[in-house]
Amino acid sequence: MAATMKDIARRTGLGLATISSYFNGGNVREKNRIKIEEAIEELHYEVNEVARGLKTNATKTVGVVIPELNNVFCAEIISGMEDILRSHGYAAIVCDCRTDKKLEKEAVDFLTRKRVDGIINMPVDMTGAHLNEFQKTGKPIVLIDRMIQGISCDCVLVDNVNAAEKAVGMLVEEQHQKIGLIGGPDEVFTARQRMLGYMKALKAHGIAVDEKLICHGDYTIQGGVQAVEELVKENPDMTAVFVTNYEMTMGAVIGLNEMGVSMPEEISLVGFDNLPFARACRPALTIVSQPTEKIARETAQIMLERLEGREELPDHIVRKLQTDIFMGKSIRRQG
């Protein structure tokens, strides 16, 4: 016959309330935790997660919906969040929607049916329509990287305007005037923010924005290759390029190499993310480095605070984090 919580209580001498608190992720004294875990092992106790979920309306799972699992930025954040959630007794169900709005909605609907306790989402559909039904459950939603207008929920962002403004400003300070931009899809929140930072930096230094120097990619390696080839072809006087995500940064480096354009002698380049790749390039790339560990930590912490029902929290939390710049040798001073 399977062991029960009462068997654990008899073995440990602890009350059922303490044991229940342990299984539901509550605060339990360290010495009591050790007693409970020893009893679980000795009695071969197995938690009936389905029954517990029906009773408590909590499944100890958090849904994570991201655009691309093979995106380095996404993967690093997921890894960090999972570690933190796991340490608090929660499992993550990760859904990759392939940057497809229909698949994103299907993923959220699937997680809703699975009765996850909360959803963490790096949204593709910027209308927020995919989250409407889950919002009706009253369970927490935390957005990463992209804010959705009209959706009242928590959000962890990077200050993308400031990041792009610093990167482009650095190029201007090195006397570059013709600075190309490889931006992301115009409908993506982060792409618009980085474009705004690019424009702010140019205007702050009295440089007119030239639409010929702006190219929108699709956040893929091949998109970066095509974009840099187009910019170089259309702008023979261009001396520098700012690339606004990692995959397109890699693509831009590949494209310059395939065209035989030397960096930084002919084109200076500032990219985005992935420090190991930046250091592996020759010359080493200068990149905007996003704090992925901090993003993961802040996102997981906010979700856990919501799940614990802390009444002192504001209606919604927006955390805006700052980026760093890793200085490589992919920039050359002009003049």
Side-chain angles (χ1 to χ4, degrees), residues 166-167 169-171 173-174 269-271 275 278-279 283-289 324-333:
K166 284 195 300 184
M170 182 175 58
L171 288 169
E173 288 167 6
E174 295 298 325
L269 188 144
V270 177
L275 184 56
R279 293 173 63 188
L285 289 181
T286 295
I287 60 163
V288 175
S289 178
D324 292 319
I325 292 182
F326 169 75
M327 293 299 300
K329 296 184 178 180
S330 59
I331 296 175
R332 184 186 186 195
R333 185 178 179 85

Side-chain angles (χ1 to χ4, degrees), residues 70-216:
N70 62 359
N71 179 293
V72 171
F73 177 65
C74 294
E76 288 182 353
I77 290 173
I78 290 169
S79 179
M81 289 191 308
E82 274 197 308
D83 287 343
I84 296 168
L85 292 171
R86 189 183 302 113
S87 71
H88 286 77
Y90 287 86
I93 302 176
V94 180
C95 299
D96 178 353
C97 71
R98 311 291 198 278
T99 315
D100 184 302
K101 294 178 184 178
K102 183 173 180 290
L103 291 179
E104 183 175 50
K105 171 121 183 17
E106 289 176 0
V108 173
D109 290 345
F110 165 77
L111 293 169
T112 303
R113 291 193 299 272
K114 287 293 182 183
R115 300 173 65 252
V116 296
D117 298 333
I119 285 181
I120 294 169
N121 180 208
M122 188 181 295
V124 174
D125 186 348
M126 299 311 295
T127 69
H130 62 296
L131 293 169
N132 288 344
E133 288 303 311
F134 188 80
Q135 269 204 310
K136 293 176 184 177
T137 68
K139 295 177 180 179
I141 298 169
V142 184
L143 300 181
I144 304 177
D145 195 49
R146 303 163 187 180
M147 186 179 289
I148 299 176
Q149 298 299 324
I151 294 281
S152 180
C153 63
D154 302 316
C155 190
V156 178
L157 304 168
V158 162
D159 190 343
N160 286 288
V161 175
N162 180 259
E165 193 173 1
K166 284 195 300 184
V168 176
M170 182 175 58
L171 288 169
V172 175
E173 288 167 6
E174 295 298 325
Q175 308 305 314
H176 292 279
Q177 296 285 308
K178 298 291 184 179
I179 303 170
L181 173 76
I182 299 179
D186 192 49
E187 68 273 13
V188 175
F189 176 81
T190 50
R192 295 198 304 271
Q193 294 287 292
R194 291 168 192 171
M195 165 86 81
L196 178 59
Y198 166 83
M199 291 179 170
K200 283 185 69 176
L202 295 181
K203 289 176 181 177
H205 290 84
I207 302 172
V209 175
D210 184 349
E211 292 295 332
K212 282 176 55 183
L213 287 166
I214 298 173
C215 189
H216 292 281

Side-chain angles (χ1 to χ4, degrees), residues 222-240:
Q222 189 55 37
V225 173
Q226 293 171 352
V228 79
E229 287 176 350
E230 180 181 326
L231 285 175
V232 170
K233 180 180 177 181
E234 297 296 324
N235 303 278
D237 56 347
M238 181 180 71
T239 63

